[in-house]
Amino acid sequence: MEIGLFILLAAVVFIVQALKVVPQQHAWVVERLGRFHGVLQPGLNVVVPFIDRVAYKHILKEVPLDVPSQICITRDNTQLQVDGILYFQVTDPQRASYGTSDYVLAITQLAQTTLRSVIGKMELDKTFEERDDINRAVVAALDDAASSWGVKVLRYEIKDLTPPKEILHAMQAQITAEREKRAVIATSEGKQQEQINLATGARQAAIAKSEGEKQAAINRAQGEAEAIKAVADANAQAIRKVAEAIEAPGGMNAVNLKVAEKYVEAFAGVAKEGNTLILPGNLAEMGSLVAAAMSIMKTQK
């Protein structure tokens, strides 16, 4: 009875030791009598108890790893405190188990030394501008070395770049000066554009005014020309009317009468405008004067 119970317990222990359930995205390395035997895949696996043993257990998921902060020296001898985060994944469980005693520590140390080397080739300003280039350089160096450890380095990201306080104050002063410079330049450019706009507006106004004055002068000249033409046409029309009236029967008699009237009016006007009156030597001969005037008109005709 006791022997049977012992055999039953031994069988249960044997079965428990023989059956291994591996979770998804995990890999277990099995050694048989101290030597590598195989890798257990996710699911139910059977091993030989007391002969086979699970020596290493690896997670095949992407793993984030904090890289400790460190002091780096730039090309222009400025200290920078840099920390980052590294993402890696185990791709070969056998190499990850036997390629190095601690692949996590190896990756961390290599990331730090590579980062110091990359930053040492750059000046301070470039380290802030070329963070992507730094990340790519670190990933390339790590991935090349980590392949022999069964690890794939996926990416590296710098979290913080912290220069000394003195450098931070100098950088802040430089940024402030640059902003003030931009503000002064923007103000001067605005004033310059304002002067240009005012000059352009004044020029356009002067041109418009001169064009208006020119058109007004043209219009006045055309109006005066039209007025002169109208007066000339009226005078010509009047002269033609006078000529037609003279040619008509009794026209010369009317002209004689009109000349006599004008002659008398002229003498009357002279008498009103001055104390001195100029008269012909013989007033009785006025008819002869009128006749003389008529003879002149006949001659002109």
Side-chain angles (χ1 to χ4, degrees), residues 44-297:
L44 181 63
N45 296 269
V46 179
V47 297
V48 180
F50 309 109
I51 297 177
D52 296 340
R53 75 180 184 92
V54 178
Y56 301 97
K57 295 181 179 180
H58 298 289
I59 299 175
L60 304 181
K61 300 176 183 178
E62 182 177 341
V63 180
L65 175 65
D66 279 325
V67 179
S69 177
Q70 62 175 332
I71 300 297
C72 300
I73 307 298
T74 62
R75 185 177 179 182
D76 50 357
N77 296 323
T78 302
Q79 292 184 353
L80 278 178
Q81 186 173 357
V82 186
D83 62 347
I85 184 168
L86 181 68
Y87 297 87
F88 71 92
Q89 185 178 22
V90 176
T91 57
D92 189 339
Q94 181 181 359
R95 289 187 177 183
S97 301
Y98 304 105
T100 178
S101 60
D102 189 346
Y103 62 84
V104 174
L105 179 61
I107 292 174
T108 302
Q109 294 296 322
L110 184 58
Q112 289 182 317
T113 56
T114 304
L115 183 62
R116 286 195 298 267
S117 176
V118 173
I119 291 181
K121 299 176 182 178
M122 296 182 178
E123 297 181 354
L124 178 61
D125 294 338
K126 292 295 184 180
T127 58
F128 296 99
E129 298 174 1
E130 300 181 1
R131 296 179 64 162
D132 292 339
D133 294 338
I134 296 174
N135 295 336
R136 284 192 293 268
V138 173
V139 169
L142 289 176
D143 193 45
D144 185 42
S147 60
S148 61
W149 304 333
V151 177
K152 174 70 175 177
V153 177
L154 302 176
R155 59 187 179 276
Y156 177 82
E157 296 292 339
I158 295 177
K159 292 194 295 184
D160 291 314
L161 284 171
T162 307
K165 294 182 179 180
E166 297 79 6
I167 301 298
L168 285 175
H169 291 322
M171 293 173 64
Q172 186 64 39
Q174 182 181 2
I175 293 173
T176 302
E178 184 66 24
R179 290 177 178 174
E180 291 177 353
K181 174 184 175 183
R182 292 179 182 176
V184 171
I185 293 174
T187 302
S188 63
E189 289 179 351
K191 291 181 179 179
Q192 179 184 8
Q193 189 63 42
E194 179 184 4
Q195 295 298 324
I196 292 174
N197 293 339
L198 291 175
T200 303
R203 177 174 174 270
Q204 296 294 333
I207 292 174
K209 181 179 179 180
S210 63
E211 290 291 337
E213 292 176 351
K214 174 183 175 182
Q215 189 63 39
I218 292 173
N219 293 339
R220 286 195 299 271
Q222 290 178 349
E224 293 174 357
E226 292 294 333
I228 293 172
K229 182 179 179 182
V231 171
D233 291 340
N235 290 333
Q237 186 68 23
I239 292 172
R240 283 194 296 269
K241 292 292 185 180
V242 171
E244 291 175 357
I246 293 173
E247 293 293 335
M252 287 303 298
N253 294 330
V255 170
N256 292 335
L257 178 60
K258 194 66 177 178
V259 170
E261 289 177 354
K262 292 294 182 180
Y263 191 78
V264 172
E265 289 176 0
F267 277 105
V270 171
K272 290 180 180 179
E273 293 178 0
N275 296 324
T276 304
L277 182 61
I278 301 174
L279 296 174
N282 188 2
L283 289 176
E285 299 296 334
M286 185 177 295
S288 64
L289 293 175
V290 173
M294 292 303 299
S295 65
I296 292 173
M297 291 185 62

Side-chain angles (χ1 to χ4, degrees), residues 20-42:
K20 301 294 182 181
V21 179
V22 181
Q24 183 67 32
Q25 287 295 94
H26 286 69
W28 292 2
V29 176
V30 176
E31 292 181 350
R32 176 167 291 179
L33 300 177
R35 297 183 61 182
F36 173 77
H37 177 65
V39 178
L40 301 182
Q41 301 300 323

